[in-house]
Amino acid sequence: MGRKRLQPSADGRPTVHTVAARAGVSIASASRVLNGIGGSPETVRRVREAAAEVGYVPNAIARSLQAQRTGLVALAVADIGNPVYVAMMRAIEAVVASSGRQLLVHATGGEIDSETDLLRRLANRYVDGMIMSPIRITDRHLDAIVLSPVPVVVVGQLPDDAPVDNVRTDSRAGVALAVDHLVAAGRQRIGFVNGPLDTVPGAARDAGFRAALASHGIPVDERLIEVGDFQYAAGRDAATRLFARAEPDALLCANDLIAVGALHALLTDRRRVPEDVALVGMDDTELAQMAFPQLSSVSLGSAARGRRAAELLLERIADPALPPRREHVAPSLVVRASSAVDHPVRGGSAAVDDLTGGGSAAVDAPVRGGSAAPRRPRTAPASRPGTPAAPAGGPVGVPS
């Protein structure tokens, strides 16, 4: 039997009816697939093939008006240049794109007015939903989220009774992992460079640091604690102020941007890392592996949190009646050369030793629940008879 006669629109363009007839499915089934709602794998395949065959191009404006869907999802973060948000954004975009939607990204600068104004503008329904990761949470945020006509998922810490889909991690537990590792490495004068205490992460990491020291019987020395901002320059300046008044043998930083700034302050002050000062960051961003020596860092699962937030948002868009969900992503510690337990104390600079094979190879093993012994540095294998020896001073065990 031949195909049904295809009915174009008044202006000659293929319509949903055209695609449905070509695919041999109902108009409702074709409409669901073309609007990104889905269907059985076989139906999705047939509808997409039919749409390609007839040259169907959706009318985005009409589709938005009819289905009250825009095909857009928003992401609001404090700083789109921060590597932690870049990792989160990439994970969110991958999930959003798989649903046929596009991602819009807003930089709020961490300003409460900017974030609450953005939430109020959701009343215009210019997006199907929003993911936001504010560094401060106020009653104004919560009121605007609850009143939003489109779904909102928050990445970050919220009050336990907040009726909002939420993906969070545990900064306090992450700080404890870092302190446990440094104490296991024999460090006792542990300094801390934090971001602003009026932010959710700053307050959590300060509390976690103090609690972690207490768990090891180490008294808090306020001279070893410095507060700045979650940026490279602020981290460098805060570390410089700390070194001017105290002599830490280890330094924990509240994120990797601060840690890279602190690393530069240490090297400027001719302090060796990790021989004189072991260094640990937080977030385990790409910066941790770009630094030299490579940074140990606490991973807070930025990509995993972003991916799960996007999944929750799409589920909420599909079913607004779902109860509020709260998801947890556990922190883990990645130990590298900047705090390697087995790095020997030697007379030369750590950077030069590592380049010439005298220092510790980078350790890149995740540690969950506490510190673990990192791998020993690799050594060059003994030369076999008839095999030329490696040149003296060659790069053996350079961190990967």
Side-chain angles (χ1 to χ4, degrees):
M1 186 171 69
R3 294 181 184 271
K4 295 179 182 180
R5 186 173 178 180
L6 305 180
Q7 297 295 324
S9 62
D11 61 5
R13 292 185 299 175
T15 65
V16 174
H17 298 71
T18 316
V19 175
R22 171 75 70 159
V25 301
S26 69
I27 293 170
S29 294
S31 178
R32 281 194 294 271
V33 174
L34 295 172
N35 282 301
I37 298 173
S40 70
E42 177 62 16
T43 298
V44 171
R45 182 190 66 77
R46 288 164 61 183
V47 170
R48 287 180 176 172
E49 286 182 357
E53 288 172 5
V54 302
Y56 172 79
V57 178
N59 185 324
I61 296 175
R63 186 175 64 184
S64 174
L65 291 173
Q66 291 170 4
Q68 292 190 317
R69 294 283 187 267
T70 65
L72 301 173
V73 167
L75 169 64
V77 297
D79 177 12
I80 58 175
N82 188 323
V84 71
Y85 294 129
V86 173
M88 189 178 293
M89 178 184 67
R90 288 172 178 163
I92 291 170
E93 188 171 32
V95 175
V96 168
S98 70
S99 74
R101 294 178 172 85
Q102 291 182 306
L103 184 67
L104 301 178
V105 182
H106 298 267
T108 68
E111 298 293 332
I112 295 172
D113 288 343
S114 175
E115 290 165 349
T116 53
D117 181 60
L118 191 57
L119 286 164
R120 283 194 297 270
R121 295 210 312 266
L122 294 179
N124 297 326
R125 302 187 73 96
Y126 74 98
V127 293
D128 296 337
M130 175 180 284
I131 299 168
M132 66 184 314
S133 183
I135 60 174
R136 297 174 178 85
I137 286 289
T138 66
D139 289 340
R140 291 164 57 193
H141 284 95
L142 295 174
D143 290 344
I145 291 170
V146 170
L147 294 173
S148 171
V150 302
V152 177
V153 177
V154 175
V155 179
Q157 206 76 13
L158 285 179
D160 289 339
D161 59 352
V164 181
D165 290 330
N166 178 216
V167 182
R168 59 177 68 184
T169 187
D170 189 342
S171 290
R172 291 182 60 146
V175 169
L177 290 177
V179 172
D180 290 349
H181 162 65
L182 291 170
V183 171
R187 312 290 174 155
Q188 289 290 311
R189 300 187 310 281
I190 303 173
F192 181 45
V193 181
N194 198 5
L197 295 178
D198 67 338
T199 64
V200 174
R205 292 167 201 191
D206 178 74
F209 179 72
R210 294 171 185 273
L213 288 186
S215 72
H216 289 283
I218 300 175
V220 174
D221 184 347
E222 297 295 339
R223 295 174 304 165
L224 291 172
I225 299 176
E226 186 62 58
V227 175
D229 202 350
F230 292 112
Q231 300 294 331
Y232 159 80
R236 180 196 60 210
D237 295 344
T240 298
R241 293 193 298 271
L242 191 155
F243 302 149
R245 65 171 182 262
E247 292 290 332
D249 60 8
L251 192 65
L252 171 61
C253 297
N255 73 1
D256 288 343
L257 281 167
I258 294 175
V260 171
L263 175 61
H264 290 179
L266 282 162
L267 297 179
T268 298
D269 204 34
R270 297 186 178 278
R271 297 176 190 245
R272 300 166 301 167
V273 177
E275 294 95 338
D276 297 332
V277 181
L279 181 64
V280 178
M282 293 192 73
D283 289 329
D284 194 33
T285 62
E286 292 179 344
L287 280 177
Q289 296 184 62
M290 293 176 182
F292 193 84
Q294 290 185 319
L295 286 173
S296 297
S297 188
V298 177
S299 171
L300 298 176
S302 301
R305 284 184 289 152
R307 182 164 49 252
R308 189 61 189 127
E311 292 167 350
L312 290 179
L313 183 63
L314 295 181
E315 292 166 9
R316 173 68 60 189
I317 291 171
D319 185 0
L322 288 169
R325 282 83 46 87
R326 182 170 293 114
E327 303 275 345
H328 293 262
V329 175
S332 60
L333 174 66
V334 181
V335 179
R336 300 189 179 93
S338 71
S339 68
V341 175
D342 59 350
H343 201 301
V345 177
R346 54 181 76 245
S349 119
V352 172
D353 288 340
D354 277 342
L355 279 173
T356 59
S360 166
V363 180
D364 198 359
V367 180
R368 299 183 183 273
S371 63
R375 297 189 297 268
R376 303 293 300 181
R378 292 173 291 176
T379 56
S383 299
R384 292 173 297 179
T387 303
V396 178
V398 176
S400 59

